[in-house]
Structures are given as structure tokens and as C-alpha cells.
């Protein structure tokens, strides 16, 4: 069984935005919402203002790779939406991963033992 799938429908994204549980950073915004399932679902939003298709797809790949690094430390049953910001295209996966880890930890999506390890 896969532990992560993707959000595809606009109403799924809007429902996650509407919950208003989010963390913003100059590089990435993360919205979370419990989904009542045994798996996480992620969505990635990149506006056309960031660049043409090549740039937007690169940003999505970077965010997806950063999420895969964080996936083992996450609780299951969450909808997660990541929104790229203006500065995101210049960053590497490690930079986004660091920001994402801090945001997910502060939102309470990571497992308890992992949160304790981050504080040390």
C-alpha cells in the first residue's frame, strides 16, 4: 500500500486552504488538514509568475523530492498542500527540505519521537 497519493481536484485544494492551518516562509507555504484516511495526500502549487513550464516543473520536482525525504517521519492521514514562492526556483532540495521539516514539525504532522529529535 502506498502511504502517499496526490490531490488532483480543485475542491480538494480549496478544502485544505479553507482549513487555515498553515505555516508560511519566504521559500514555501505549507497547508495541512486531517483527511481521515490511512494515507497522506499531497498537492503542489506553482504559479505561472515563477516562470515558464520548465521552471515550474523543476520547482515541483524539488518540492516532491524534499517531501520524500520527510515522508518517513510523518504521521498518516493528512492532506498537505505546498505552495512555491518567488524565491523557490533558486533553491536546492536540501534547502526546501529544511524549511519543510520545520513547517511540518510546527504544524504537528511529524511523529512525536521525530519532533523531540529535532529539538536536540
Amino acid at each position: 500500500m502506498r502511504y502517499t497519493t496526490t490531490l488532483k481536484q480543485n475542491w480538494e485544494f480549496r478544502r485544505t486552504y479553507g482549513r487555515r492551518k498553515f505555516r508560511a516562509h519566504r521559500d514555501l507555504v505549507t497547508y495541512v488538514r486531517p483527511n481521515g484516511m490511512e494515507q497522506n495526500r499531497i498537492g503542489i502549487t506553482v504559479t505561472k509568475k515563477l516562470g515558464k513550464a520548465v521552471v515550474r516543473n523543476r520547482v515541483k520536482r524539488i518540492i516532491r523530492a524534499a517531501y520524500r525525504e520527510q515522508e518517513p517521519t510523518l504521521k498518516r492521514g493528512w492532506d498537505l498542500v505546498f505552495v512555491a514562492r518567488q524565491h523557490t526556483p533558486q533553491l536546492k532540495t536540501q534547502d526546501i527540505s529544511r524549511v519543510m521539516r520545520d513547517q511540518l514539525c510546527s504544524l504537528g504532522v511529524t511523529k512525536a519521537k521525530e519532533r523531540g529529535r529535532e529539538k536536540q
Side-chain angles (χ1 to χ4, degrees):
M1 177 180 171
R2 290 182 59 192
Y3 295 118
T4 301
T5 59
T6 58
L7 296 173
K8 293 189 168 62
Q9 300 297 316
N10 189 337
W11 64 268
E12 294 172 322
F13 281 83
R14 284 187 287 130
R15 185 173 63 184
T16 305
Y17 295 141
R19 178 71 194 270
R20 295 287 183 206
K21 190 170 182 183
F22 70 97
R23 291 292 179 269
H25 187 270
R26 105 184 152 134
D27 303 328
L28 185 72
V29 180
T30 303
Y31 292 87
V32 299
R33 175 186 178 280
N35 64 18
M37 304 165 94
E38 283 296 315
Q39 60 188 359
N40 291 336
R41 300 187 305 171
I42 68 166
I44 300 171
T45 305
V46 183
T47 180
K48 287 185 176 182
K49 292 178 185 178
L50 292 186
K52 298 193 180 202
V54 173
V55 174
R56 294 193 309 268
N57 287 330
R58 179 183 177 276
V59 169
K60 286 189 258 186
R61 282 194 312 271
I62 289 170
I63 293 173
R64 232 179 275 118
Y67 175 79
R68 278 193 300 269
E69 289 179 11
Q70 303 306 316
E71 190 174 23
T73 66
L74 300 179
K75 297 176 187 174
R76 291 190 207 145
W78 291 89
D79 286 345
L80 307 145
V81 175
F82 301 105
V83 181
R85 298 280 271 321
Q86 192 68 38
H87 193 250
T88 308
Q90 289 83 33
L91 300 175
K92 297 186 187 283
T93 303
Q94 296 86 358
D95 302 325
I96 294 295
S97 183
R98 190 175 323 110
V99 171
M100 189 181 290
R101 181 186 62 231
D102 293 342
Q103 290 177 337
L104 293 173
C105 186
S106 69
L107 287 165
V109 180
T110 56
K111 297 175 184 170
K113 63 180 179 181
E114 298 298 330
R115 278 187 270 161
R117 190 176 299 156
E118 292 300 324
K119 292 179 183 176
Q120 293 177 353

